[in-house]
PDB file of all heavy atoms in Angstrom:
ATOM      1  N   LEU A  43      97.062  74.754  35.099  1.00  0.00           N
ATOM      2  CA  LEU A  43      97.089  75.133  36.581  1.00  0.00           C
ATOM      3  C   LEU A  43      96.006  74.313  37.204  1.00  0.00           C
ATOM      4  O   LEU A  43      94.782  74.413  36.774  1.00  0.00           O
ATOM      5  CB  LEU A  43      96.885  76.576  36.852  1.00  0.00           C
ATOM      6  CG  LEU A  43      96.601  77.015  38.258  1.00  0.00           C
ATOM      7  CD1 LEU A  43      97.784  76.738  39.112  1.00  0.00           C
ATOM      8  CD2 LEU A  43      96.234  78.499  38.261  1.00  0.00           C
ATOM      9  N   LEU A  44      96.391  73.405  38.167  1.00  0.00           N
ATOM     10  CA  LEU A  44      95.341  72.678  38.903  1.00  0.00           C
ATOM     11  C   LEU A  44      95.218  73.250  40.227  1.00  0.00           C
ATOM     12  O   LEU A  44      96.165  73.208  41.090  1.00  0.00           O
ATOM     13  CB  LEU A  44      95.902  71.223  39.015  1.00  0.00           C
ATOM     14  CG  LEU A  44      95.066  70.312  39.820  1.00  0.00           C
ATOM     15  CD1 LEU A  44      93.627  70.111  39.331  1.00  0.00           C
ATOM     16  CD2 LEU A  44      95.725  68.828  39.839  1.00  0.00           C
ATOM     17  N   LEU A  45      94.115  73.893  40.580  1.00  0.00           N
ATOM     18  CA  LEU A  45      93.849  74.427  41.862  1.00  0.00           C
ATOM     19  C   LEU A  45      93.344  73.231  42.748  1.00  0.00           C
ATOM     20  O   LEU A  45      92.330  72.657  42.425  1.00  0.00           O
ATOM     21  CB  LEU A  45      92.712  75.555  41.682  1.00  0.00           C
ATOM     22  CG  LEU A  45      93.184  76.667  40.884  1.00  0.00           C
ATOM     23  CD1 LEU A  45      91.953  77.629  40.647  1.00  0.00           C
ATOM     24  CD2 LEU A  45      94.286  77.531  41.662  1.00  0.00           C
ATOM     25  N   GLY A  46      94.149  73.065  43.832  1.00  0.00           N
ATOM     26  CA  GLY A  46      93.827  71.766  44.458  1.00  0.00           C
ATOM     27  C   GLY A  46      93.484  71.892  45.921  1.00  0.00           C
ATOM     28  O   GLY A  46      92.923  72.819  46.345  1.00  0.00           O
ATOM     29  N   GLY A  47      93.906  70.876  46.732  1.00  0.00           N
ATOM     30  CA  GLY A  47      93.537  70.877  48.099  1.00  0.00           C
ATOM     31  C   GLY A  47      92.425  69.869  48.433  1.00  0.00           C
ATOM     32  O   GLY A  47      91.843  69.969  49.500  1.00  0.00           O
ATOM     33  N   THR A  48      92.122  68.915  47.563  1.00  0.00           N
ATOM     34  CA  THR A  48      91.051  68.083  47.752  1.00  0.00           C
ATOM     35  C   THR A  48      91.489  66.634  47.151  1.00  0.00           C
ATOM     36  O   THR A  48      92.459  66.456  46.456  1.00  0.00           O
ATOM     37  CB  THR A  48      89.828  68.339  46.828  1.00  0.00           C
ATOM     38  OG1 THR A  48      90.225  68.468  45.451  1.00  0.00           O
ATOM     39  CG2 THR A  48      89.228  69.686  47.210  1.00  0.00           C
ATOM     40  N   TYR A  67     100.486  72.154  40.437  1.00  0.00           N
ATOM     41  CA  TYR A  67      99.384  71.882  41.408  1.00  0.00           C
ATOM     42  C   TYR A  67      99.534  73.029  42.440  1.00  0.00           C
ATOM     43  O   TYR A  67     100.616  73.308  43.037  1.00  0.00           O
ATOM     44  CB  TYR A  67      99.690  70.500  42.085  1.00  0.00           C
ATOM     45  CG  TYR A  67      98.703  70.110  42.993  1.00  0.00           C
ATOM     46  CD1 TYR A  67      97.883  68.909  42.766  1.00  0.00           C
ATOM     47  CD2 TYR A  67      98.371  70.714  44.304  1.00  0.00           C
ATOM     48  CE1 TYR A  67      96.880  68.617  43.624  1.00  0.00           C
ATOM     49  CE2 TYR A  67      97.435  70.297  45.258  1.00  0.00           C
ATOM     50  CZ  TYR A  67      96.631  69.176  44.815  1.00  0.00           C
ATOM     51  OH  TYR A  67      95.662  68.831  45.792  1.00  0.00           O
ATOM     52  N   SER A  68      98.416  73.757  42.723  1.00  0.00           N
ATOM     53  CA  SER A  68      98.497  74.817  43.629  1.00  0.00           C
ATOM     54  C   SER A  68      97.656  74.584  44.868  1.00  0.00           C
ATOM     55  O   SER A  68      96.538  74.188  44.894  1.00  0.00           O
ATOM     56  CB  SER A  68      97.890  76.085  42.925  1.00  0.00           C
ATOM     57  OG  SER A  68      97.764  77.118  43.807  1.00  0.00           O
ATOM     58  N   TYR A  69      98.411  74.769  46.042  1.00  0.00           N
ATOM     59  CA  TYR A  69      97.774  74.701  47.367  1.00  0.00           C
ATOM     60  C   TYR A  69      97.666  76.149  47.971  1.00  0.00           C
ATOM     61  O   TYR A  69      98.510  76.931  47.725  1.00  0.00           O
ATOM     62  CB  TYR A  69      98.728  73.983  48.284  1.00  0.00           C
ATOM     63  CG  TYR A  69      98.707  72.452  48.226  1.00  0.00           C
ATOM     64  CD1 TYR A  69      99.885  71.783  47.863  1.00  0.00           C
ATOM     65  CD2 TYR A  69      97.620  71.735  48.803  1.00  0.00           C
ATOM     66  CE1 TYR A  69      99.865  70.395  47.891  1.00  0.00           C
ATOM     67  CE2 TYR A  69      97.688  70.434  48.851  1.00  0.00           C
ATOM     68  CZ  TYR A  69      98.790  69.677  48.379  1.00  0.00           C
ATOM     69  OH  TYR A  69      98.734  68.357  48.428  1.00  0.00           O
ATOM     70  N   ALA A  70      96.654  76.276  48.715  1.00  0.00           N
ATOM     71  CA  ALA A  70      96.451  77.539  49.452  1.00  0.00           C
ATOM     72  C   ALA A  70      97.533  77.751  50.491  1.00  0.00           C
ATOM     73  O   ALA A  70      97.847  78.858  50.849  1.00  0.00           O
ATOM     74  CB  ALA A  70      95.060  77.591  50.056  1.00  0.00           C
ATOM     75  N   GLY A  71      97.974  76.631  51.063  1.00  0.00           N
ATOM     76  CA  GLY A  71      98.998  76.697  52.213  1.00  0.00           C
ATOM     77  C   GLY A  71      98.374  76.701  53.586  1.00  0.00           C
ATOM     78  O   GLY A  71      99.005  77.084  54.552  1.00  0.00           O
ATOM     79  N   ARG A  72      97.115  76.132  53.709  1.00  0.00           N
ATOM     80  CA  ARG A  72      96.437  76.065  55.018  1.00  0.00           C
ATOM     81  C   ARG A  72      97.041  74.881  55.843  1.00  0.00           C
ATOM     82  O   ARG A  72      96.976  74.948  57.039  1.00  0.00           O
ATOM     83  CB  ARG A  72      94.980  75.767  54.814  1.00  0.00           C
ATOM     84  CG  ARG A  72      94.274  76.729  53.959  1.00  0.00           C
ATOM     85  CD  ARG A  72      93.877  78.030  54.785  1.00  0.00           C
ATOM     86  NE  ARG A  72      93.049  78.845  53.944  1.00  0.00           N
ATOM     87  CZ  ARG A  72      93.397  79.712  53.133  1.00  0.00           C
ATOM     88  NH1 ARG A  72      94.674  79.989  52.998  1.00  0.00           N
ATOM     89  NH2 ARG A  72      92.556  80.494  52.319  1.00  0.00           N
ATOM     90  N   VAL A  73      97.564  73.917  55.156  1.00  0.00           N
ATOM     91  CA  VAL A  73      98.092  72.706  55.834  1.00  0.00           C
ATOM     92  C   VAL A  73      99.540  72.786  55.982  1.00  0.00           C
ATOM     93  O   VAL A  73     100.260  73.226  55.034  1.00  0.00           O
ATOM     94  CB  VAL A  73      97.659  71.493  55.034  1.00  0.00           C
ATOM     95  CG1 VAL A  73      98.365  70.157  55.562  1.00  0.00           C
ATOM     96  CG2 VAL A  73      96.176  71.187  55.098  1.00  0.00           C
ATOM     97  N   ARG A  84     103.057  74.581  43.838  1.00  0.00           N
ATOM     98  CA  ARG A  84     103.227  75.957  44.305  1.00  0.00           C
ATOM     99  C   ARG A  84     102.315  76.048  45.544  1.00  0.00           C
ATOM    100  O   ARG A  84     101.250  75.489  45.509  1.00  0.00           O
ATOM    101  CB  ARG A  84     102.993  76.989  43.288  1.00  0.00           C
ATOM    102  CG  ARG A  84     101.579  77.080  42.791  1.00  0.00           C
ATOM    103  CD  ARG A  84     101.159  78.396  42.183  1.00  0.00           C
ATOM    104  NE  ARG A  84     101.472  79.532  42.902  1.00  0.00           N
ATOM    105  CZ  ARG A  84     100.668  79.892  43.868  1.00  0.00           C
ATOM    106  NH1 ARG A  84      99.557  79.137  44.286  1.00  0.00           N
ATOM    107  NH2 ARG A  84     100.894  81.009  44.575  1.00  0.00           N
ATOM    108  N   VAL A  85     102.696  76.926  46.404  1.00  0.00           N
ATOM    109  CA  VAL A  85     101.864  77.101  47.701  1.00  0.00           C
ATOM    110  C   VAL A  85     101.655  78.616  47.959  1.00  0.00           C
ATOM    111  O   VAL A  85     102.566  79.368  47.922  1.00  0.00           O
ATOM    112  CB  VAL A  85     102.591  76.396  48.913  1.00  0.00           C
ATOM    113  CG1 VAL A  85     101.770  76.568  50.144  1.00  0.00           C
ATOM    114  CG2 VAL A  85     102.927  75.023  48.661  1.00  0.00           C
ATOM    115  N   GLY A  86     100.303  78.857  48.352  1.00  0.00           N
ATOM    116  CA  GLY A  86     100.022  80.223  48.800  1.00  0.00           C
ATOM    117  C   GLY A  86      99.156  80.924  47.846  1.00  0.00           C
ATOM    118  O   GLY A  86      98.988  80.545  46.649  1.00  0.00           O
ATOM    119  N   GLY A  87      98.365  81.974  48.311  1.00  0.00           N
ATOM    120  CA  GLY A  87      97.503  82.812  47.459  1.00  0.00           C
ATOM    121  C   GLY A  87      98.229  83.476  46.358  1.00  0.00           C
ATOM    122  O   GLY A  87      99.392  83.698  46.453  1.00  0.00           O
ATOM    123  N   PHE A  88      97.437  83.880  45.363  1.00  0.00           N
ATOM    124  CA  PHE A  88      98.072  84.583  44.108  1.00  0.00           C
ATOM    125  C   PHE A  88      97.953  86.061  44.305  1.00  0.00           C
ATOM    126  O   PHE A  88      98.659  86.790  43.631  1.00  0.00           O
ATOM    127  CB  PHE A  88      97.278  84.178  42.856  1.00  0.00           C
ATOM    128  CG  PHE A  88      97.283  82.685  42.540  1.00  0.00           C
ATOM    129  CD1 PHE A  88      96.276  81.827  42.922  1.00  0.00           C
ATOM    130  CD2 PHE A  88      98.318  82.225  41.951  1.00  0.00           C
ATOM    131  CE1 PHE A  88      96.423  80.475  42.658  1.00  0.00           C
ATOM    132  CE2 PHE A  88      98.424  80.886  41.474  1.00  0.00           C
ATOM    133  CZ  PHE A  88      97.443  80.011  41.914  1.00  0.00           C
ATOM    134  N   GLY A  89      97.141  86.488  45.281  1.00  0.00           N
ATOM    135  CA  GLY A  89      96.937  87.945  45.436  1.00  0.00           C
ATOM    136  C   GLY A  89      95.681  88.449  44.735  1.00  0.00           C
ATOM    137  O   GLY A  89      95.795  89.378  43.915  1.00  0.00           O
ATOM    138  N   GLY A  90      94.649  87.751  44.888  1.00  0.00           N
ATOM    139  CA  GLY A  90      93.272  88.099  44.365  1.00  0.00           C
ATOM    140  C   GLY A  90      93.407  87.998  42.926  1.00  0.00           C
ATOM    141  O   GLY A  90      94.323  87.337  42.244  1.00  0.00           O
ATOM    142  N   VAL A  91      92.392  88.530  42.147  1.00  0.00           N
ATOM    143  CA  VAL A  91      92.150  88.436  40.769  1.00  0.00           C
ATOM    144  C   VAL A  91      93.472  89.098  39.995  1.00  0.00           C
ATOM    145  O   VAL A  91      94.059  88.413  39.062  1.00  0.00           O
ATOM    146  CB  VAL A  91      90.837  89.031  40.239  1.00  0.00           C
ATOM    147  CG1 VAL A  91      90.797  89.083  38.749  1.00  0.00           C
ATOM    148  CG2 VAL A  91      89.681  88.324  40.853  1.00  0.00           C
ATOM    149  N   GLY A  93      96.484  89.319  40.990  1.00  0.00           N
ATOM    150  CA  GLY A  93      97.721  88.497  41.205  1.00  0.00           C
ATOM    151  C   GLY A  93      97.619  87.269  40.344  1.00  0.00           C
ATOM    152  O   GLY A  93      98.600  86.684  39.708  1.00  0.00           O
ATOM    153  N   LEU A  94      96.361  86.642  40.243  1.00  0.00           N
ATOM    154  CA  LEU A  94      96.153  85.499  39.495  1.00  0.00           C
ATOM    155  C   LEU A  94      96.315  85.761  38.035  1.00  0.00           C
ATOM    156  O   LEU A  94      96.980  84.957  37.312  1.00  0.00           O
ATOM    157  CB  LEU A  94      94.768  84.802  39.855  1.00  0.00           C
ATOM    158  CG  LEU A  94      94.474  83.541  39.065  1.00  0.00           C
ATOM    159  CD1 LEU A  94      95.510  82.483  39.363  1.00  0.00           C
ATOM    160  CD2 LEU A  94      93.108  83.043  39.461  1.00  0.00           C
ATOM    161  N   ASP A 108      89.864  73.979  38.124  1.00  0.00           N
ATOM    162  CA  ASP A 108      89.549  74.341  39.480  1.00  0.00           C
ATOM    163  C   ASP A 108      88.954  73.094  40.278  1.00  0.00           C
ATOM    164  O   ASP A 108      87.827  72.794  39.992  1.00  0.00           O
ATOM    165  CB  ASP A 108      88.595  75.516  39.561  1.00  0.00           C
ATOM    166  CG  ASP A 108      88.187  75.915  40.939  1.00  0.00           C
ATOM    167  OD1 ASP A 108      88.720  75.259  41.927  1.00  0.00           O
ATOM    168  OD2 ASP A 108      87.365  76.795  41.108  1.00  0.00           O
ATOM    169  N   ALA A 109      89.775  72.473  40.965  1.00  0.00           N
ATOM    170  CA  ALA A 109      89.314  71.290  41.741  1.00  0.00           C
ATOM    171  C   ALA A 109      89.453  71.589  43.180  1.00  0.00           C
ATOM    172  O   ALA A 109      89.743  70.758  44.039  1.00  0.00           O
ATOM    173  CB  ALA A 109      90.231  70.077  41.384  1.00  0.00           C
ATOM    174  N   THR A 110      89.174  72.861  43.552  1.00  0.00           N
ATOM    175  CA  THR A 110      89.246  73.225  44.925  1.00  0.00           C
ATOM    176  C   THR A 110      87.911  72.684  45.689  1.00  0.00           C
ATOM    177  O   THR A 110      87.006  72.187  44.955  1.00  0.00           O
ATOM    178  CB  THR A 110      89.209  74.696  45.220  1.00  0.00           C
ATOM    179  OG1 THR A 110      88.080  75.345  44.486  1.00  0.00           O
ATOM    180  CG2 THR A 110      90.529  75.362  44.671  1.00  0.00           C
ATOM    181  N   HIS A 111      87.901  72.710  46.966  1.00  0.00           N
ATOM    182  CA  HIS A 111      86.717  72.329  47.777  1.00  0.00           C
ATOM    183  C   HIS A 111      85.564  73.215  47.360  1.00  0.00           C
ATOM    184  O   HIS A 111      85.660  74.415  47.191  1.00  0.00           O
ATOM    185  CB  HIS A 111      87.115  72.519  49.271  1.00  0.00           C
ATOM    186  CG  HIS A 111      86.203  71.895  50.184  1.00  0.00           C
ATOM    187  ND1 HIS A 111      85.086  72.514  50.661  1.00  0.00           N
ATOM    188  CD2 HIS A 111      86.163  70.763  50.827  1.00  0.00           C
ATOM    189  CE1 HIS A 111      84.438  71.803  51.511  1.00  0.00           C
ATOM    190  NE2 HIS A 111      85.092  70.544  51.569  1.00  0.00           N
ATOM    191  N   PRO A 112      84.363  72.544  47.349  1.00  0.00           N
ATOM    192  CA  PRO A 112      83.107  73.344  46.998  1.00  0.00           C
ATOM    193  C   PRO A 112      82.882  74.611  47.894  1.00  0.00           C
ATOM    194  O   PRO A 112      82.187  75.476  47.481  1.00  0.00           O
ATOM    195  CB  PRO A 112      81.994  72.380  47.075  1.00  0.00           C
ATOM    196  CG  PRO A 112      82.637  70.995  47.173  1.00  0.00           C
ATOM    197  CD  PRO A 112      84.024  71.174  47.644  1.00  0.00           C
ATOM    198  N   PHE A 113      83.569  74.539  49.149  1.00  0.00           N
ATOM    199  CA  PHE A 113      83.355  75.698  49.983  1.00  0.00           C
ATOM    200  C   PHE A 113      84.364  76.832  49.765  1.00  0.00           C
ATOM    201  O   PHE A 113      84.386  77.827  50.439  1.00  0.00           O
ATOM    202  CB  PHE A 113      83.196  75.293  51.446  1.00  0.00           C
ATOM    203  CG  PHE A 113      81.828  74.761  51.786  1.00  0.00           C
ATOM    204  CD1 PHE A 113      81.454  73.574  51.287  1.00  0.00           C
ATOM    205  CD2 PHE A 113      80.996  75.474  52.587  1.00  0.00           C
ATOM    206  CE1 PHE A 113      80.190  73.038  51.515  1.00  0.00           C
ATOM    207  CE2 PHE A 113      79.720  74.956  52.918  1.00  0.00           C
ATOM    208  CZ  PHE A 113      79.286  73.765  52.375  1.00  0.00           C
ATOM    209  N   ALA A 114      85.382  76.547  48.846  1.00  0.00           N
ATOM    210  CA  ALA A 114      86.387  77.475  48.655  1.00  0.00           C
ATOM    211  C   ALA A 114      85.915  78.467  47.559  1.00  0.00           C
ATOM    212  O   ALA A 114      86.357  78.597  46.478  1.00  0.00           O
ATOM    213  CB  ALA A 114      87.750  76.879  48.166  1.00  0.00           C
ATOM    214  N   ALA A 115      84.826  79.261  48.018  1.00  0.00           N
ATOM    215  CA  ALA A 115      84.144  80.081  46.988  1.00  0.00           C
ATOM    216  C   ALA A 115      84.991  81.324  46.570  1.00  0.00           C
ATOM    217  O   ALA A 115      84.844  81.746  45.422  1.00  0.00           O
ATOM    218  CB  ALA A 115      82.839  80.556  47.596  1.00  0.00           C
ATOM    219  N   GLY A 116      85.857  81.737  47.396  1.00  0.00           N
ATOM    220  CA  GLY A 116      86.796  82.954  46.978  1.00  0.00           C
ATOM    221  C   GLY A 116      87.720  82.576  45.854  1.00  0.00           C
ATOM    222  O   GLY A 116      87.751  83.276  44.897  1.00  0.00           O
ATOM    223  N   MET A 117      88.321  81.385  46.082  1.00  0.00           N
ATOM    224  CA  MET A 117      89.328  81.013  45.086  1.00  0.00           C
ATOM    225  C   MET A 117      88.519  80.726  43.693  1.00  0.00           C
ATOM    226  O   MET A 117      89.042  81.148  42.585  1.00  0.00           O
ATOM    227  CB  MET A 117      90.038  79.814  45.496  1.00  0.00           C
ATOM    228  CG  MET A 117      91.146  79.369  44.591  1.00  0.00           C
ATOM    229  SD  MET A 117      92.548  80.462  44.534  1.00  0.00           S
ATOM    230  CE  MET A 117      92.451  81.139  42.807  1.00  0.00           C
ATOM    231  N   SER A 118      87.435  80.089  43.846  1.00  0.00           N
ATOM    232  CA  SER A 118      86.677  79.741  42.596  1.00  0.00           C
ATOM    233  C   SER A 118      86.235  80.937  41.905  1.00  0.00           C
ATOM    234  O   SER A 118      86.264  81.028  40.622  1.00  0.00           O
ATOM    235  CB  SER A 118      85.544  78.795  42.950  1.00  0.00           C
ATOM    236  OG  SER A 118      86.072  77.567  43.361  1.00  0.00           O
ATOM    237  N   ALA A 119      85.728  81.940  42.555  1.00  0.00           N
ATOM    238  CA  ALA A 119      85.221  83.148  41.933  1.00  0.00           C
ATOM    239  C   ALA A 119      86.334  83.921  41.278  1.00  0.00           C
ATOM    240  O   ALA A 119      86.296  84.418  40.175  1.00  0.00           O
ATOM    241  CB  ALA A 119      84.524  84.102  43.020  1.00  0.00           C
ATOM    242  N   ASN A 120      87.551  83.964  41.977  1.00  0.00           N
ATOM    243  CA  ASN A 120      88.694  84.602  41.443  1.00  0.00           C
ATOM    244  C   ASN A 120      89.185  83.898  40.147  1.00  0.00           C
ATOM    245  O   ASN A 120      89.594  84.617  39.155  1.00  0.00           O
ATOM    246  CB  ASN A 120      89.862  84.535  42.359  1.00  0.00           C
ATOM    247  CG  ASN A 120      89.673  85.521  43.567  1.00  0.00           C
ATOM    248  OD1 ASN A 120      88.767  86.219  43.635  1.00  0.00           O
ATOM    249  ND2 ASN A 120      90.593  85.379  44.606  1.00  0.00           N
ATOM    250  N   ARG A 137      82.378  67.843  42.504  1.00  0.00           N
ATOM    251  CA  ARG A 137      81.765  66.598  42.855  1.00  0.00           C
ATOM    252  C   ARG A 137      80.367  66.896  43.229  1.00  0.00           C
ATOM    253  O   ARG A 137      80.009  67.955  43.752  1.00  0.00           O
ATOM    254  CB  ARG A 137      82.554  65.990  44.058  1.00  0.00           C
ATOM    255  CG  ARG A 137      82.874  67.039  45.097  1.00  0.00           C
ATOM    256  CD  ARG A 137      84.111  66.846  45.702  1.00  0.00           C
ATOM    257  NE  ARG A 137      84.341  67.497  46.995  1.00  0.00           N
ATOM    258  CZ  ARG A 137      85.265  67.420  47.788  1.00  0.00           C
ATOM    259  NH1 ARG A 137      86.455  66.735  47.450  1.00  0.00           N
ATOM    260  NH2 ARG A 137      85.286  68.060  48.913  1.00  0.00           N
ATOM    261  N   ILE A 172      84.079  70.556  60.261  1.00  0.00           N
ATOM    262  CA  ILE A 172      84.036  71.687  59.326  1.00  0.00           C
ATOM    263  C   ILE A 172      85.377  72.276  59.119  1.00  0.00           C
ATOM    264  O   ILE A 172      85.552  73.331  58.539  1.00  0.00           O
ATOM    265  CB  ILE A 172      82.994  72.780  59.728  1.00  0.00           C
ATOM    266  CG1 ILE A 172      83.395  73.328  61.138  1.00  0.00           C
ATOM    267  CG2 ILE A 172      81.504  72.240  59.725  1.00  0.00           C
ATOM    268  CD1 ILE A 172      82.522  74.439  61.584  1.00  0.00           C
ATOM    269  N   GLY A 173      86.434  71.630  59.617  1.00  0.00           N
ATOM    270  CA  GLY A 173      87.746  72.274  59.513  1.00  0.00           C
ATOM    271  C   GLY A 173      87.984  73.238  60.600  1.00  0.00           C
ATOM    272  O   GLY A 173      87.243  73.333  61.627  1.00  0.00           O
ATOM    273  N   GLN A 175      88.523  76.622  60.015  1.00  0.00           N
ATOM    274  CA  GLN A 175      87.999  77.981  59.746  1.00  0.00           C
ATOM    275  C   GLN A 175      86.502  77.937  59.981  1.00  0.00           C
ATOM    276  O   GLN A 175      85.963  76.825  59.922  1.00  0.00           O
ATOM    277  CB  GLN A 175      88.285  78.388  58.278  1.00  0.00           C
ATOM    278  CG  GLN A 175      89.750  78.561  57.953  1.00  0.00           C
ATOM    279  CD  GLN A 175      89.990  78.667  56.503  1.00  0.00           C
ATOM    280  OE1 GLN A 175      89.571  79.547  55.858  1.00  0.00           O
ATOM    281  NE2 GLN A 175      90.570  77.661  55.959  1.00  0.00           N
ATOM    282  N   LYS A 233      79.752  70.238  56.387  1.00  0.00           N
ATOM    283  CA  LYS A 233      79.571  71.026  55.109  1.00  0.00           C
ATOM    284  C   LYS A 233      79.226  69.987  53.955  1.00  0.00           C
ATOM    285  O   LYS A 233      79.809  68.959  53.900  1.00  0.00           O
ATOM    286  CB  LYS A 233      80.873  71.643  54.709  1.00  0.00           C
ATOM    287  CG  LYS A 233      81.265  72.814  55.705  1.00  0.00           C
ATOM    288  CD  LYS A 233      82.656  73.265  55.275  1.00  0.00           C
ATOM    289  CE  LYS A 233      83.080  74.478  56.024  1.00  0.00           C
ATOM    290  NZ  LYS A 233      84.508  74.822  55.714  1.00  0.00           N
ATOM    291  N   SER A 235      80.097  68.863  51.269  1.00  0.00           N
ATOM    292  CA  SER A 235      81.350  68.850  50.402  1.00  0.00           C
ATOM    293  C   SER A 235      81.065  67.894  49.212  1.00  0.00           C
ATOM    294  O   SER A 235      81.670  68.202  48.117  1.00  0.00           O
ATOM    295  CB  SER A 235      82.481  68.374  51.118  1.00  0.00           C
ATOM    296  OG  SER A 235      82.666  69.018  52.352  1.00  0.00           O
TER     297      SER A 235
HETATM  298  P1  NAP B 445      88.761  80.462  49.797  1.00  0.00           P
HETATM  299  O1  NAP B 445      88.164  81.100  50.911  1.00  0.00           O
HETATM  300  O2  NAP B 445      88.117  80.258  48.583  1.00  0.00           O
HETATM  301  O3  NAP B 445      90.224  81.025  49.488  1.00  0.00           O
HETATM  302  C1  NAP B 445      90.693  82.262  50.166  1.00  0.00           C
HETATM  303  C2  NAP B 445      92.042  82.603  49.490  1.00  0.00           C
HETATM  304  O4  NAP B 445      93.017  81.554  49.660  1.00  0.00           O
HETATM  305  C3  NAP B 445      91.897  82.710  47.966  1.00  0.00           C
HETATM  306  O5  NAP B 445      91.316  83.972  47.577  1.00  0.00           O
HETATM  307  C4  NAP B 445      93.299  82.513  47.551  1.00  0.00           C
HETATM  308  O6  NAP B 445      94.100  83.680  47.944  1.00  0.00           O
HETATM  309  C5  NAP B 445      93.808  81.361  48.438  1.00  0.00           C
HETATM  310  N1  NAP B 445      93.527  80.124  47.918  1.00  0.00           N
HETATM  311  C6  NAP B 445      92.535  79.283  48.108  1.00  0.00           C
HETATM  312  N2  NAP B 445      92.713  77.989  47.464  1.00  0.00           N
HETATM  313  C7  NAP B 445      93.955  78.156  46.814  1.00  0.00           C
HETATM  314  C8  NAP B 445      94.662  77.311  45.981  1.00  0.00           C
HETATM  315  N3  NAP B 445      94.296  76.029  45.764  1.00  0.00           N
HETATM  316  N4  NAP B 445      95.832  77.775  45.591  1.00  0.00           N
HETATM  317  C9  NAP B 445      96.296  79.027  45.830  1.00  0.00           C
HETATM  318  N5  NAP B 445      95.594  79.837  46.618  1.00  0.00           N
HETATM  319  C10 NAP B 445      94.386  79.496  47.074  1.00  0.00           C
HETATM  320  O7  NAP B 445      89.306  78.905  50.192  1.00  0.00           O
HETATM  321  P2  NAP B 445      89.349  78.254  51.629  1.00  0.00           P
HETATM  322  O8  NAP B 445      87.949  77.783  51.968  1.00  0.00           O
HETATM  323  O9  NAP B 445      90.138  79.095  52.613  1.00  0.00           O
HETATM  324  O10 NAP B 445      90.108  76.926  51.194  1.00  0.00           O
HETATM  325  C11 NAP B 445      91.537  76.909  51.062  1.00  0.00           C
HETATM  326  C12 NAP B 445      91.972  75.760  50.431  1.00  0.00           C
HETATM  327  O11 NAP B 445      91.650  74.485  51.255  1.00  0.00           O
HETATM  328  C13 NAP B 445      91.309  75.376  48.989  1.00  0.00           C
HETATM  329  O12 NAP B 445      92.408  75.089  48.122  1.00  0.00           O
HETATM  330  C14 NAP B 445      90.421  74.294  49.226  1.00  0.00           C
HETATM  331  O13 NAP B 445      90.475  73.346  48.108  1.00  0.00           O
HETATM  332  C15 NAP B 445      91.001  73.542  50.410  1.00  0.00           C
HETATM  333  N6  NAP B 445      89.958  73.107  51.280  1.00  0.00           N
HETATM  334  C16 NAP B 445      88.964  73.879  51.805  1.00  0.00           C
HETATM  335  C17 NAP B 445      87.971  73.320  52.592  1.00  0.00           C
HETATM  336  C18 NAP B 445      86.836  74.182  53.128  1.00  0.00           C
HETATM  337  O14 NAP B 445      85.998  73.674  53.828  1.00  0.00           O
HETATM  338  N7  NAP B 445      86.814  75.404  52.763  1.00  0.00           N
HETATM  339  C19 NAP B 445      88.030  71.904  52.886  1.00  0.00           C
HETATM  340  C20 NAP B 445      89.041  71.202  52.395  1.00  0.00           C
HETATM  341  C21 NAP B 445      90.021  71.705  51.664  1.00  0.00           C
HETATM  342  P3  NAP B 445      94.496  84.887  46.778  1.00  0.00           P
HETATM  343  O15 NAP B 445      93.248  85.637  46.709  1.00  0.00           O
HETATM  344  O16 NAP B 445      95.573  85.534  47.479  1.00  0.00           O
HETATM  345  O17 NAP B 445      94.859  84.139  45.510  1.00  0.00           O
END
Side-chain angles (χ1 to χ4, degrees):
L43 169 62
L44 174 59
L45 297 168
T48 56
Y67 188 112
S68 178
Y69 277 115
R72 304 279 189 271
V73 171
R84 67 161 301 285
V85 180
F88 297 94
V91 175
L94 181 53
D108 177 2
T110 56
H111 191 273
F113 281 71
M117 184 70 250
S118 292
N120 289 354
R137 48 217 199 177
I172 58 172
Q175 297 168 64
K233 294 173 172 173
S235 312

